[in-house]
Amino acid sequence: MRLSTKAQYAVRAMVDLSLNSAGRPVSLKEISRREEIPLNYLEQLFYRLKKGNIVESVRGPGGGYILARGSSHILVGDIVATVEEPLNPVACLDEGSEVCSRISRCVTHDVWKGLGERIRGFLDSITLEDLTREARGVSSEE
Amino acid sequence: MRLSTKAQYAVRAMVDLSLNSAGRPVSLKEISRREEIPLNYLEQLFYRLKKGNIVESVRGPGGGYILARGSSHILVGDIVATVEEPLNPVACLDEGSEVCSRISRCVTHDVWKGLGERIRGFLDSITLEDLTREARGVSSEE
DNA sequence: TAATAGTTGACAGATTTAGTAAGGCATGTT
DNA sequence: AACATGCCTTACTAAATCTGTCAACTATTA
Ligand code: FES
Ligand code: FES
């Protein structure tokens, strides 16, 4: 029941982006340095994030990425779902999949379905703005 | 964010066990046949389930497994946690692990921690009895 | 036109998972 | 006592997934 590092990296990178973008685009190079995430790996992640309409890119010198919308409208669940395709606990929930077993029409199916809904529900209850605000608070504390 | 087949098999097998044990022990051979789960694989699972005090074994001919306590006191979360050791979404929650990054003392950490708690909370809210009852209902419906 | 920075696909190494194999042990039956 | 049943335990392998790297390309701006 592990989240992939993709998801962890993506969320951290998005917080970093939101935190350090003062109107201007932020390059992956910067994020890579600050967050210690391999640049090439970040590229893959942002490729997906862009296709998921979570960020927009600005090409050329001085370019980079910017948020596609206000951070209060970007949910952690969006980021995770975009980068880690099917957020379902079991394969049969994915799309055109068959039932896993015949016993009583698979009672356990509903359990996993409910679990998936809880997971999504929780991650969708947190916005990028929440994390950014918290990050600012934490770094000035102590 | 996938559950291992271990967890899926284990829960299904436990429902099967609870459903088919009328006081007498149920052999893994039976469960294996009914649920179409490889016998050797089941043995591994029940080895753990026994160590987790969820089932008890009866050796010798006519032996098998029985529930260690009433099905209303066995939580789905117990089964999953026993068979799929650390139920945490990220490694740093496990035990003696280091912090994943230094940015602002890792804001995302609390998110994953909360997620783990939700997952456990949900799975702990369902008992084996719930599933057994449902299984009985479903098979007679329709 | 040269430098910057994003875009995209291919690929390899490491790790994890799923499943198999095999031998041993305990218990009850004949 | 011998045998059959069925649990107990470890070891191993094949397959899938995950993580990260490489390399070549395209668009933009100074
Ligand atoms: S059919 Fe979905 S868990 Fe069995
Ligand atoms: S330290 Fe736990 S997620 Fe970063």
Side-chain angles (χ1 to χ4, degrees):
Chain A
M1 209 52 189
R2 276 284 160 80
L3 217 53
S4 66
T5 60
K6 275 200 191 73
Q8 301 176 49
Y9 283 169
V11 175
R12 266 171 53 207
M14 287 297 292
V15 174
D16 183 285
L17 170 55
S18 169
L19 215 49
N20 294 97
S21 116
R24 59 155 192 124
V26 180
S27 74
L28 292 187
K29 213 170 174 180
E30 286 181 60
I31 300 180
S32 167
R33 183 161 16 85
R34 275 193 298 262
E35 299 291 334
E36 295 181 321
I37 299 172
L39 176 59
N40 291 328
Y41 204 33
L42 264 186
E43 287 174 345
Q44 283 182 48
L45 300 182
F46 275 77
Y47 170 47
R48 290 173 187 232
L49 291 174
K50 188 191 173 186
K51 285 207 294 187
N53 294 314
I54 293 177
V55 297
E56 285 172 8
S57 64
V58 178
R59 307 184 76 144
Y65 286 93
I66 55 176
L67 300 182
R69 52 186 183 274
S71 62
S72 61
H73 293 100
I74 296 179
L75 311 178
V76 173
D78 293 337
I79 302 172
V80 174
T82 300
V83 111
E84 178 157 359
E85 281 306 345
L87 204 41
N88 299 316
V90 294
C92 66
L93 289 168
D94 275 354
E95 203 69 4
S97 307
E98 307 194 354
V99 162
C100 68
S101 115
R102 73 280 229 90
I103 176 172
S104 319
R105 286 190 23 252
C106 201
V107 250
T108 59
H109 186 89
D110 289 343
V111 177
W112 312 136
K113 191 171 160 196
L115 178 60
E117 281 158 9
R118 299 305 178 99
I119 291 174
R120 272 189 293 274
F122 177 68
L123 294 180
D124 284 347
S125 73
I126 303 171
T127 69
L128 186 55
E129 190 183 33
D130 295 334
L131 293 184
T132 310
R133 186 175 38 238
E134 196 182 330
R136 259 195 271 268
V138 167
S139 57
S140 53
E141 269 172 27
E142 183 179 0
Chain B
M1 210 53 191
R2 278 284 161 80
L3 216 53
S4 66
T5 60
K6 275 200 191 73
Q8 300 175 51
Y9 283 169
V11 175
R12 267 171 53 208
M14 287 297 292
V15 173
D16 182 286
L17 169 54
S18 169
L19 216 49
N20 294 98
S21 117
R24 57 152 192 127
V26 180
S27 74
L28 292 187
K29 211 170 175 181
E30 283 181 63
I31 299 180
S32 167
R33 183 161 15 84
R34 274 193 299 261
E35 299 292 332
E36 295 180 321
I37 299 172
L39 176 59
N40 290 328
Y41 205 32
L42 262 187
E43 287 176 342
Q44 286 182 49
L45 300 181
F46 275 77
Y47 172 47
R48 290 173 186 233
L49 291 174
K50 189 192 174 185
K51 284 207 295 189
N53 292 315
I54 293 176
V55 297
E56 283 171 9
S57 65
V58 178
R59 306 184 79 144
Y65 287 93
I66 55 176
L67 300 182
R69 52 185 182 275
S71 62
S72 61
H73 294 101
I74 296 179
L75 311 178
V76 173
D78 293 336
I79 301 172
V80 174
T82 299
V83 111
E84 179 157 357
E85 282 304 348
L87 204 41
N88 298 317
V90 295
C92 65
L93 290 168
D94 274 356
E95 203 68 5
S97 306
E98 307 196 352
V99 163
C100 68
S101 116
R102 72 281 231 91
I103 174 170
S104 319
R105 293 208 354 268
C106 201
V107 249
T108 59
H109 187 89
D110 288 344
V111 178
W112 311 136
K113 191 171 160 197
L115 179 59
E117 282 159 8
R118 298 306 177 98
I119 291 174
R120 273 188 293 273
F122 176 69
L123 293 180
D124 283 348
S125 73
I126 305 171
T127 69
L128 185 55
E129 189 184 34
D130 295 334
L131 294 184
T132 310
R133 186 173 40 235
E134 197 182 332
R136 261 195 270 269
V138 167
S139 56
S140 53
E141 270 173 27
E142 183 180 358

